[in-house]
Amino acid sequence: MIQLESLGVSARPQAHRQAEVGSSMSAKRALDVTLSGIGLAVSSPLWALIALLIKLEDGGPVFYRQERSGLNGVPFDVTKFRSMIPDAEARVGAVQATEHDPRVTRIGRLLRATAMDELPQLWNIFRGDMSFTGPRALRPGEIEARGAGVVERLEDVPGFQERSSVRPGLTGIAQIYAPRDITRRWKFRYDLMYVRRHSFWLDVRLILLSFWITFRGTWEARGSKL
């Protein structure tokens, strides 16, 4: 588990925390709108290039759309650049990608390593469905295998409701620091750390770290991404 101090986060009296919430949320939303607006404008030529590369590889659709659970469980649709073969879930269902997953295309591996497949979600951030920082957006009704044939609804995992009290994000403590293949129960602990210790400057720090990971192309790393 990471240390809060490494992110410049420390526990504060509850009264101080409550006084900070309103201004912090306003600043967070202003940051989201500003960065996503700039990102949409600056990245538009890159969208055309990515779309061309996806089409040239297998002729399949450029985008992949999926329903996700947002603030307080309200569903919304996300759009990503397709990084897997067409109809990747037709045979195996909604299974998280594994290392060397054969469903991932060649251009898809590059997109996933640099998080470029998530560029279209800038529009979700601009609209207010998502934020730059927060817990990862989950699929409604998503389940996880716990071994021995036992499956568990993510809604039943302790901490699910609390993590749903904030907008999901492209990046966050769990996305950056949690080992990629650990269970959702462990990832929820990182998410709850974010919810309980949130601040504007924590968001800024996480965004800067995310740019560094994108530059290094290590989002798909099974070990440390930093």
Side-chain angles (χ1 to χ4, degrees):
M1 182 68 69
I2 64 171
Q3 297 296 316
L4 291 176
E5 291 77 6
S6 69
L7 288 173
V9 185
S10 58
R12 292 184 289 279
Q14 184 65 23
H16 290 175
R17 286 290 300 163
Q18 291 177 345
E20 292 172 354
V21 169
S23 60
S24 179
M25 289 298 101
S26 296
K28 179 182 179 71
R29 181 60 187 147
L31 181 66
D32 284 340
V33 172
T34 301
L35 289 184
S36 60
I38 294 173
L40 285 167
V42 172
S43 67
S44 55
L46 190 57
W47 286 45
L49 176 60
I50 292 173
L52 176 62
L53 292 175
I54 292 173
K55 273 295 183 183
L56 287 176
E57 179 161 9
D58 60 18
V62 170
F63 296 107
Y64 173 70
R65 292 178 175 84
Q66 192 177 76
E67 186 179 56
R68 295 293 177 95
S69 182
L71 178 65
N72 297 322
V74 176
F76 67 97
D77 290 330
V78 299
T79 301
K80 302 173 68 173
F81 282 116
R82 181 175 58 85
S83 61
M84 290 188 174
I85 60 175
D87 300 320
E89 296 182 349
R91 295 183 180 180
V92 297
V95 178
Q96 184 174 343
T98 58
E99 190 173 14
H100 308 305
D101 195 311
R103 297 174 299 163
V104 179
T105 64
R106 287 178 299 173
I107 184 60
R109 295 193 185 281
L110 175 61
L111 295 177
R112 295 168 73 93
T114 58
M116 290 296 103
D117 60 321
E118 299 189 349
L119 271 178
Q121 291 179 63
L122 289 173
W123 178 242
N124 290 109
I125 297 173
F126 192 78
R127 281 167 42 95
D129 300 322
M130 297 177 61
S131 173
F132 266 100
T133 54
R136 182 178 292 279
L138 302 175
R139 299 172 69 171
E142 192 170 344
I143 62 173
E144 181 170 73
R146 298 187 61 186
V150 178
V151 296
E152 177 177 48
R153 295 194 323 149
L154 295 188
E155 288 91 338
D156 296 332
V157 176
F160 177 86
Q161 294 301 324
E162 188 173 355
R163 78 186 293 282
S164 299
S165 67
V166 299
R167 285 186 179 90
L170 277 183
T171 189
I173 293 178
Q175 293 92 313
I176 291 174
Y177 287 97
R180 185 167 181 80
D181 296 324
I182 63 171
T183 65
R184 295 290 190 181
R185 281 179 170 260
W186 276 102
K187 287 184 179 179
F188 279 15
R189 298 187 183 189
Y190 288 82
D191 292 334
L192 294 180
M193 184 186 302
Y194 173 82
V195 173
R196 295 168 183 173
R197 304 298 187 213
H198 171 259
S199 72
F200 176 78
W201 294 112
L202 173 60
D203 285 346
V204 171
R205 181 93 180 257
L206 292 171
I207 290 170
L208 291 176
L209 287 172
S210 299
F211 277 120
W212 175 240
I213 296 170
T214 295
F215 175 76
R216 297 183 64 205
T218 53
W219 279 112
E220 287 290 281
R222 259 47 196 180
S224 175
K225 304 177 185 70
L226 297 171

